[in-house]
Amino acid sequence: MALLQIAEPGESAAPHEHRLAVGIDLGTTNSLVATVRSGMSVVLNDAVGRPLLPSVVGYAADGSVEVGYSAEAKQFIDPKNTIVSVKRFMGRGRGDIAHIETLPYDFVDTEGMVKLRTIAGIKSPVEISAEILKTVRNRAEATLGGELTGAVITVPAYFDDAQRQATKDAARLAGLNVLRLLNEPTAAAIAYGLDNSAEGIYAVFDLGGGTFDISILRLSKGVFEVMATGGDSALGGDDFDHRIFCWIIEQAKLTPLSPQDARLLQMRAREAKEQLSQHGRAPITVKLGSGEYVDLVLSTEVFAEITRTLVQKTLAPTRKALRDAGLTVADVRGVVMVGGSTRMPQIQHAVAELFKQEPLNNLDPEKVVALGAAIQANLLAGNRAAGDDWLLLDVIPLSLGLETMGGLVEKVIPRNSTIPVARAQEFTTFKDGQTAMVIHVVQGERELISDCRSLARFELRGIPPMVAGAARIRVTFQVDADGLLSVTAREQTTGREARIEVKPSYGLSDDEITGMLKDSFSHAGDDAFRRALRESQVEAQRLIEATQSALQDDADLLSILERAHVDAAVTRLQALMIGDDRRAIDQAMQGLSAATNEFAARRMNRSVQRALAGRNVNQISL
Amino acid sequence: MTTFDLNFAVDYFTLFDLPRAQSLDMERLEQRFRSIQSQVHPDKHAHAADADRRLAMQWATRVNEAFQTLKSPGKRARYLLQLLGHDAQIESNTAMPVEFLMSQMELREAVMAARSAADETALEEVRLHLLAEIKGEYERLAGLIDVSKDFSAAANAVRQLMFQEKLLNEIDDALEAVTA
């Protein structure tokens, strides 16, 4: 029997352990997963060597789930239980979804985010996306031969808070530790910028299957600074397919279609679109279930004509982003094309015409987002190599605000603010003796509340009765590095913290997520308790390693007494983490965190001072 | 190495180790911003302990806020006046010279006319005109604060500037509506 190895106290077991981290491009049409191996970012293929995973999820009566090519193949047989382009439903209500009447699904009439009734029960877009992420995670763990430390998941830059939160929830449901939500065009810029040592102003034009983003970045000395972003989170290749689909129906004078025929025609429409990227014409021949034949030819000219307004819809946000960045097209050094839909010739032409230069197509538009995400995941997981010292500064795509009297919006954080960002604003009461206040958080650019997206409603209670206008309610918005918002409210005059209630309008509550997690455990036969214990143990190990590395660099910032205090907390956690008392481990972790709070603050002050002195920590510790 | 105790509460100029003045070495500001952000950004502490990560987010937030404030000449002047003990009275004082108000009203009328006529070129023209005006105001502000130290005139200029910047936003909205 092999002997188990135990490291000396105070030393980490594997100081140069390579942590497994991946970048995941959770796309509307296809998903990809990539990782950094031997310093190179590579896409991980499936068992038969295919890089793409079609973002298609099929449910069967026995509760089994199929994801990818096998599900895609069944979409004509069972369109109602085979979900394609689920990304378009993330964080969205019924009213938000375009052409909902042509979709073959059975939507449940519900408040907030849409839900679909399938043969395996009612599913939310978060659960459906989690199936895709689970498949991707399994692929990565099988290929890399171990458990993942974490993942960077990409989202369209123009995704609002509800859509981002839904994506993060899906990852949590799939058992992934999310290191960061990363904007897709920014991920592409990392892959492109590092690959080409690019410097200057670049635009990333990202037209995917269901979303459009435009980001303007400044690349300078290892800093990727997003200056402005814009887009349309409901515009993509699917819409071009839909125009062809409508054209076919019109040309062939077809009567209402069965769901199977509709799906078949949509597929033919997409094939025709793909063919037109290479050839001048695409024949469309279909035999429908009704026995009718369709026999048409679509030319590039007609395709450009029927999609002219869609192309225009990409140019308006592009101009707006340039204006927001305070730039003109003459300032832009290159336009990086991302997303399979940028292969369409009319898109290439329109972009070249607007920017007065040929766009850059030297990266695989389908893989570049996953490759960039993998590079950031590698860095965030702590696999930092020499020369990896770059920094990413991203922005929020849409303004965040509050509802005020008369259904108007007061903007608190304007769009294109660099994240993380926090802003506080004071509000007051409207009526004498008012003791409660509804704080309605919205996202969007319009002045009327009804034109913006409702993110959450908070109720602030316990305001002391005063005359109207006397109370001072300070509302603080904090957007973290994932672009996710948290809001707190406090009554100022009494200094008393008032109670707040959060009711996400489009997200899932923590209870719902916990319920779904429990369900998935019981289905998988997994033991929820063991898994939670394992998570705490991993977290404890991480905390100990982080503390030890901090002590190695900056122990001189602690007095002998303080040092002894920290050491005692480390020893206590080390002793407990071998056991199986999860609560005790969590308490010991809190103890260590508390013991190192002041130390962390001093270390941060020191690193800022060093930054100003023009030196970096690595140079000093050598 | 700097000798002052650099902590979370210092003012934005001290944070970037820059003199308290309206004329600012922008290149230096950007370089300082990047080097500090390279130390404190949450991405640099992603695998650290919770306390460090929380702290990193607070620091990065503050550094971003400081940079945005000092980068924009209007925001910088407002902040600087406040530091110097001369509140620009943005909310309470709405008095403005008549000539200024007249010229702004004319511009506003031009924007509204161009908007309803969907005249993109006219909007761009007003925008450029206003940008030039704002640029002139920036230069005047630097003189008022740094050279003549006429803080009450500077406060007036800051209020006018806010007026002009608001109009610029309206032009951008109009351009968006026209080109969409």
Side-chain angles (χ1 to χ4, degrees), chain A residues 429-436 463-471:
Chain A
T429 44
F430 175 65
K431 273 193 207 150
D432 287 343
Q434 186 176 338
T435 58
I463 303 171
M466 282 181 257
V467 291

Side-chain angles (χ1 to χ4, degrees), chain B residues 110-130:
Chain B
V111 172
M112 277 160 72
R115 183 174 180 153
S116 47
D119 188 344
E120 195 185 338
T121 329
L123 280 172
E124 286 287 2
E125 249 168 57
V126 185
R127 188 167 182 268
L128 286 178
H129 176 83
L130 188 61

Side-chain angles (χ1 to χ4, degrees), chain A residues 241-282:
Chain A
D241 299 350
H242 188 75
R243 288 291 158 90
I244 300 178
F245 171 82
C246 293
W247 179 82
I248 298 172
I249 291 177
E250 205 184 288
Q251 294 292 310
K253 298 183 179 62
L254 298 174
T255 44
L257 298 164
S258 69
Q260 283 82 356
D261 282 347
R263 194 54 88 75
L264 191 59
L265 277 188
Q266 275 160 3
M267 194 69 190
R268 290 287 177 273
R270 186 195 289 183
E271 286 164 3
K273 174 190 73 179
E274 284 163 5
Q275 208 168 353
L276 286 175
S277 294
Q278 320 239 324
H279 308 94
R281 54 200 298 277

Side-chain angles (χ1 to χ4, degrees), chain A residues 102-263:
Chain A
T102 66
L103 296 172
Y105 312 120
D106 186 358
F107 288 99
V108 181
D109 216 5
T110 172
E111 290 273 297
M113 205 190 309
V114 292
K115 288 199 169 87
L116 283 71
R117 193 174 284 113
T118 74
I119 198 163
I122 290 172
K123 302 288 176 189
S124 85
V126 171
E127 289 168 278
I128 300 167
S129 297
E131 295 297 343
I132 300 169
L133 288 172
K134 270 183 217 164
T135 308
V136 159
R137 176 182 158 210
N138 290 340
R139 179 192 291 189
E141 294 191 333
T143 316
L144 301 174
E147 214 173 304
L148 296 180
T149 300
V152 166
I153 299 174
T154 60
V155 288
Y158 215 59
F159 253 21
D160 67 26
D161 195 79
Q163 293 167 303
R164 283 170 200 270
Q165 194 61 61
T167 306
K168 204 166 183 182
D169 289 344
R172 199 170 141 199
L173 214 49
L176 284 166
N177 172 32
V178 181
L179 296 167
R180 180 74 74 241
L181 293 180
L182 176 62
N183 290 330
E184 287 161 10
T186 312
I190 294 173
Y192 180 85
L194 293 178
D195 222 33
N196 297 274
S197 316
E199 294 266 316
I201 309 282
Y202 282 81
V204 179
F205 187 99
D206 180 357
L207 187 62
T211 56
F212 168 64
D213 285 328
I214 176 78
S215 284
I216 314 289
L217 293 101
R218 188 166 55 164
L219 279 53
S220 167
K221 301 180 195 91
V223 178
F224 294 77
E225 186 183 353
V226 180
M227 303 179 74
T229 198
D232 187 335
S233 66
L235 174 68
D238 283 4
D239 298 286
F240 289 77
D241 299 350
H242 188 75
R243 288 291 158 90
I244 300 178
F245 171 82
C246 293
W247 179 82
I248 298 172
I249 291 177
E250 205 184 288
Q251 294 292 310
K253 298 183 179 62
L254 298 174
T255 44
L257 298 164
S258 69
Q260 283 82 356
D261 282 347
R263 194 54 88 75

Side-chain angles (χ1 to χ4, degrees), chain A residues 318-367:
Chain A
T318 304
R319 289 194 202 98
K320 179 171 132 192
L322 277 169
R323 264 200 309 276
D324 282 353
L327 298 169
T328 65
V329 289
D331 299 312
V332 177
R333 182 173 245 188
V335 187
V336 180
M337 299 296 263
V338 181
S341 303
T342 56
R343 290 204 177 101
M344 286 185 279
Q346 65 266 52
I347 292 289
Q348 291 279 337
H349 293 155
V351 170
E353 202 181 327
L354 176 66
F355 284 96
K356 300 187 174 67
Q357 58 180 300
E358 282 307 311
L360 303 162
N361 290 293
N362 48 344
L363 284 161
D364 184 335
E366 252 156 355
K367 288 183 181 168

Side-chain angles (χ1 to χ4, degrees), chain A residues 88-108:
Chain A
R88 295 201 125 180
F89 308 150
M90 293 290 269
R92 285 288 167 262
R94 275 195 84 128
D96 301 318
I97 298 163
H99 322 302
I100 197 167
E101 66 291 343
T102 66
L103 296 172
Y105 312 120
D106 186 358
F107 288 99
V108 181

